Amino acid sequence: MCAFTPSNSKKKTVWIWTENKQVMTAAVERGWNTFIFPSNRRDLALDWSSIAVIYPLFVEEGRLIDHEYKSVAAFAEISSPQQLEQFQISEEQADKVVVNLLDWQVIPAENIVAAFQGTQTTVLAVSKTQSEAQVFLEALEHGLGGVVMKVEDVGAILELKGYFDRRRDVDSLLNLTKAIITHIQVTGMGDRVCVDICSLMRPGEGLLVGSFARGLFLVHSECLESNYISSRPFRVNAGPVHAYVAVPGGKTSYLSELKSGKEVIVVDQRGMQRTAIVGRVKVETRPLILVEAKVESENESYSILLQNAETVGLVSPLHGEGHQRTTIPVTSLKVGDEVLLLLQGGARHTGIEIKEFIVEK
């Protein structure tokens, strides 16, 4: 039995319920080898076991049993909130339970998470799409213990694996590099992008943005109080439409491509990252300032254009313990100041890093 780890919870279990051989193959190739079959399809389980190493389970009288007829989990089909409240499992089945919500729009995912919160029971919900699975895995922050993907379409398996891959990235620290400001220049007007996300950001957090993908600056959010405007901890005044912004999966997107529902990576001073959903994007013509920086022992220059405003700032590196300065407003920025960069490969194709000779300036 295979499990994966999104950022907001413990290991998540994934089982597959299908009679499609291609779905089975795709799931096994991605590390998911527990499959559920109707009790009358032991022949299919036997056939697949000759092709790949799988762990078959069979639905039988309110439980899931293995090939030796040992009970592995309770199984329940629930069609109303009242039925969920009355649902009971025996002690020998208390370890795992698979719940098939016949109409999960009527029974919110939060209800089932709340019903089993504080117990040692691992609850898996039957899901028919990746988006449905995501709701169950993230409800009430911690989500359920896993999902059973009941699908006949290979695409659903690929989408779920992509979801876990994006979440796994969040568990890793980004290696941010200290850079020194070498040049600041007020330029003309340009179309800049404000990115409003569906989460609140804390001091030290922002988005990774840059004119070149090889070096992305950590642009601070508007979560700090200002003399001129109220704080907006959901917003990053990120830069002009041409700039790159880091998105999940090690990819970049143009700021002009962002829209409601897309995802971006929020990063803090230590390199901790998390995924956030874009709620709104505002493009407006504003005065811009060019900022260039270099990393010690390197000749290569990295640049970003930002709105010339006090509320726009770059995140500065941490220095020891105690009270730390988190951001330097671009209006106060000077040559010699230190900021944070993410260095990576510069060549990109549709936002994906590729190995190719490229010159950008």
Side-chain angles (χ1 to χ4, degrees):
M1 303 183 194
C2 193
F4 290 82
T5 313
S7 63
N8 59 347
S9 58
K10 298 178 181 178
K11 286 186 177 181
K12 302 291 186 178
T13 301
V14 176
W15 294 350
I16 310 297
W17 190 342
T18 187
E19 294 189 17
N20 184 302
K21 192 174 181 179
Q22 284 71 38
V23 171
M24 180 274 292
T25 303
V28 170
E29 288 175 348
R30 283 149 186 84
W32 298 322
N33 59 359
T34 302
F35 291 85
I36 295 177
F37 300 90
S39 58
N40 62 349
R41 292 311 314 267
R42 286 180 174 268
D43 60 322
L44 183 61
L46 185 62
D47 178 39
W48 286 3
S49 295
S50 66
I51 300 170
V53 178
I54 68 170
Y55 183 67
L57 300 175
F58 304 93
V59 180
E60 187 173 287
E61 297 178 353
R63 59 185 184 145
L64 293 174
I65 60 173
D66 63 17
H67 67 286
E68 296 178 343
Y69 295 90
K70 293 180 181 177
S71 181
V72 174
F75 177 78
E77 293 187 327
I78 295 176
S79 58
S80 69
Q82 294 76 21
Q83 197 175 350
L84 176 61
E85 289 178 10
Q86 297 166 4
F87 177 63
Q88 300 287 333
I89 54 176
S90 60
E91 282 192 22
E92 61 269 21
Q93 295 176 323
D95 186 35
K96 289 185 177 68
V97 57
V98 173
V99 178
N100 187 8
L101 300 180
L102 300 179
D103 188 351
W104 73 273
Q105 303 287 1
V106 174
I107 310 170
E110 289 81 2
N111 288 27
I112 190 168
V113 173
F116 288 92
Q117 214 165 48
T119 72
Q120 297 302 309
T121 302
T122 299
V123 182
L124 291 82
V126 176
S127 306
K128 296 181 177 65
T129 64
Q130 177 269 323
S131 57
E132 198 171 296
Q134 182 175 342
V135 171
F136 288 122
L137 293 169
E138 296 182 356
L140 295 182
E141 295 189 10
H142 298 289
L144 296 178
V147 291
V148 173
M149 289 298 289
K150 189 175 184 180
V151 296
E152 303 299 326
D153 175 24
V154 172
I157 299 298
L158 303 182
E159 289 171 1
L160 185 65
K161 182 59 166 63
Y163 163 78
F164 278 113
D165 286 345
R166 294 192 300 273
R167 266 52 193 177
R168 186 182 289 109
D169 287 344
V170 176
D171 289 332
S172 61
L173 272 174
L174 289 175
N175 185 21
L176 299 180
T177 301
K178 181 177 69 174
I180 299 172
I181 300 299
T182 57
H183 180 68
I184 303 164
Q185 176 186 338
V186 175
T187 60
M189 305 291 286
D191 294 333
R192 72 92 176 97
V193 181
C194 275
V195 182
D196 294 352
I197 65 171
C198 300
S199 311
L200 296 177
M201 286 173 277
R202 299 177 291 272
E205 286 188 321
L207 301 181
L208 289 165
V209 184
S211 293
F212 312 125
R214 66 176 185 266
L216 302 180
F217 292 73
L218 186 51
V219 182
H220 201 269
S221 74
E222 295 188 6
C223 66
L224 301 178
E225 292 293 335
S226 164
N227 295 327
Y228 302 97
I229 195 168
S230 300
S231 67
R232 292 180 172 87
F234 53 82
R235 173 172 295 170
V236 175
N237 189 330
V241 288
H242 77 282
Y244 288 107
V245 60
V247 298
K251 300 178 182 179
T252 57
S253 175
Y254 294 117
L255 283 175
S256 60
E257 295 175 330
L258 294 184
K259 59 183 180 181
S260 297
K262 284 209 167 188
E263 292 182 324
V264 290
I265 292 174
V266 174
V267 182
D268 71 8
Q269 283 176 295
R270 293 176 173 80
M272 287 294 296
Q273 55 177 315
R274 58 189 173 96
T275 301
I277 299 170
V278 175
R280 174 179 53 242
V281 170
K282 294 202 316 175
V283 181
E284 297 162 311
T285 302
R286 293 290 186 269
L288 300 177
I289 186 169
L290 172 67
V291 177
E292 294 180 351
K294 286 186 177 181
V295 175
E296 286 184 4
S297 74
E298 282 190 17
N299 290 323
E300 194 160 21
S301 182
Y302 306 92
S303 71
I304 186 173
L305 283 147
L306 294 164
Q307 181 180 340
N308 192 3
E310 189 210 35
T311 54
V312 182
L314 295 173
V315 177
S316 53
L318 289 169
H319 295 284
E321 300 296 329
H323 180 72
Q324 300 281 340
R325 179 169 70 165
T326 58
T327 182
I328 308 173
V330 294
T331 51
S332 305
L333 201 62
K334 59 185 184 296
V335 172
D337 281 341
E338 295 179 346
V339 296
L340 289 173
L341 280 181
L342 175 68
L343 302 183
Q344 54 187 4
R348 297 270 152 172
H349 177 68
T350 63
I352 302 170
E353 183 177 335
I354 60 173
K355 294 188 180 299
E356 181 181 58
F357 174 74
I358 185 172
V359 176
E360 291 180 305
K361 57 185 180 179

